[in-house]
Amino acid sequence: MTFTETESVELKERLNDSFAREVVSFLNTHDGTIYIGITDNGEVIGVHNVDETLKSISNIIVDSINPSCKKFIKPMAVLEEGKLIVKVEVSKGTSLYYIKSKGLSESGCFIRVGTSCRGLNDAEIKERYEATLNIPEPKLINQETGRKDLTFRILKNYLSNNGIHINEDSFYDNFKLLAPSGKFNMMAEILSDENMHSIKVAVFKGKDKSYFLKRNEYGNTCLISALEKVLNYCDALNETYVDLSVSPRREKKMFNFEAFKEAWINACVHNKWTDGIPPAVYWFDDRLEIMSYGGIPKGMTKEDFLAGKTNPVNEELMNIFLQCNIVEHSGHGVPIVVREYGESAYEFSQNFITVTIPFDRTGFNNDNGDTNVAHNVA
């Protein structure tokens, strides 16, 4: 094979700092291929450590480029002239992509022009970003999963326990678990008994992520089951403060569990699962944070979202949650959080929604000025 740099082919002797920029330029322009282990004049010199190079490429894709783009990139090792090289196929993406550390700027956002990359100016970035807002979001029910062996015992139990009749002959069709091709879709995968989606609850000491204590994994199973396990775990951590100086005694929880429950359910049902990034819960000394991927749904403003107007990202998933008596159509979840903690509880970025629920550890003082604290008081 003869290697020549073109508008759709990039040759590199080795993996270096320009790789992320070149990936971004193809994502923002057109399909392209990056070969590593080949000189600019097309000489095959090979890659010394292919496994390490592939690992570094995966880390760059996940850690250095926004928004998530791993489904558009396919790195592989290939043999050319008796030497191993790395071939990275990049498909044109559906968003405006940029180097995470540089943001949406001329030094972070690139397009492919001929055989080189060019940074976009502010006007071009604005125009291209606005254009991406009109691209329909990929739907869970239309996106195939590679899995063929999915089972749904847990989902069927939830549906049956809520009075929903299960017809085995039409189960997949009735609950929209198949893509148009007839293969299992992404919604089927996240609702299956076993899957690769891991939901994490991470606990940190202090008020930032500098000192990690522990992490609990509640995924790799039906999303509904994982959702409930996270709720139960966080409820167990919700300390009860007790005033024993009065009769009957007075109690209060460290945080409003109803508000947390609504925020967590919303994070699960409205998460942009098509990119393979699950929601998560982070615990600190003074608060907990719920993070979901995808940002505010297209067509909605921040004001609409905070007012509780509904525009579900995953309408079919929400319908199943509704049938399992987990979620309601009323959209009252966000207003409950706002009522308890104000609009400032919500933080919006291009790709994430973060809900912060502060802890109230003040407790009650008894006659001696001491604070009485009891954990998990019934």
Side-chain angles (χ1 to χ4, degrees), residues 199-203 214-218 230 233-234 281 283:
I199 294 178
K200 299 176 179 61
V201 179
V203 181
K214 60 181 177 178
R215 179 180 67 190
N216 289 53
E217 303 267 355
Y218 293 104
V230 171
Y233 177 70
C234 293
V281 179
W283 279 76

Side-chain angles (χ1 to χ4, degrees), residues 27 35 44 80 194 196 237 257 281 326:
L27 287 167
Y35 291 98
V44 178
E80 286 289 340
E194 295 182 9
M196 299 298 293
L237 294 181
F257 184 74
V281 179
I326 294 172

Side-chain angles (χ1 to χ4, degrees), residues 62-248:
V62 173
D63 298 335
S64 300
I65 301 174
N66 263 352
S68 176
C69 61
K70 59 182 180 180
K71 66 181 179 180
F72 299 109
I73 303 172
K74 185 179 179 181
M76 66 193 81
V78 296
L79 190 65
E80 286 289 340
E81 299 179 11
K83 300 174 183 177
L84 279 175
I85 65 171
V86 172
K87 177 182 179 182
V88 184
E89 296 177 349
V90 184
S91 300
K92 187 179 187 303
T94 56
S95 299
L96 181 59
Y97 299 87
Y98 56 94
I99 307 298
K100 188 181 298 186
S101 62
K102 303 294 184 180
L104 284 169
S105 66
E106 189 168 355
S107 60
C109 200
F110 300 90
I111 58 172
R112 185 80 173 180
V113 179
T115 60
S116 61
C117 306
R118 178 176 72 81
L120 295 172
N121 60 40
D122 289 344
E124 291 172 321
I125 289 172
K126 182 176 184 295
E127 179 181 358
R128 284 172 173 260
Y129 177 70
E130 290 177 349
T132 65
L133 299 180
N134 296 320
I135 299 175
E137 290 281 0
K139 300 188 71 173
L140 278 175
I141 61 170
N142 293 334
Q143 186 168 327
E144 293 180 9
T145 178
R147 300 285 299 278
K148 299 179 181 179
D149 57 343
L150 302 180
T151 60
F152 302 93
R153 177 185 55 81
I154 297 173
L155 174 60
K156 290 176 181 178
N157 285 341
Y158 276 104
L159 291 166
S160 297
N161 291 339
N162 282 278
I164 306 299
H165 174 68
I166 303 296
N167 185 328
E168 294 293 345
D169 293 334
S170 58
F171 175 73
Y172 296 154
D173 291 329
N174 290 345
F175 295 97
K176 301 185 184 301
L177 301 178
L178 301 178
S181 63
K183 299 179 180 180
F184 283 127
N185 56 31
M186 280 292 296
M187 187 166 78
E189 181 170 341
I190 65 174
L191 291 172
S192 64
D193 295 329
E194 295 182 9
N195 57 59
M196 299 298 293
H197 298 277
S198 177
I199 294 178
K200 299 176 179 61
V201 179
V203 181
F204 300 90
K205 182 179 180 180
K207 298 181 180 181
D208 56 34
K209 294 181 179 179
S210 59
Y211 191 86
F212 176 74
L213 288 179
K214 60 181 177 178
R215 179 180 67 190
N216 289 53
E217 303 267 355
Y218 293 104
N220 306 125
T221 187
C222 176
L223 174 61
I224 299 173
S225 176
L227 179 153
E228 289 195 340
K229 289 177 181 177
V230 171
L231 288 176
N232 292 336
Y233 177 70
C234 293
D235 190 25
L237 294 181
N238 192 7
E239 297 173 347
T240 300
Y241 288 77
V242 183
D243 183 1
L244 300 177
S245 66
V246 297
S247 182

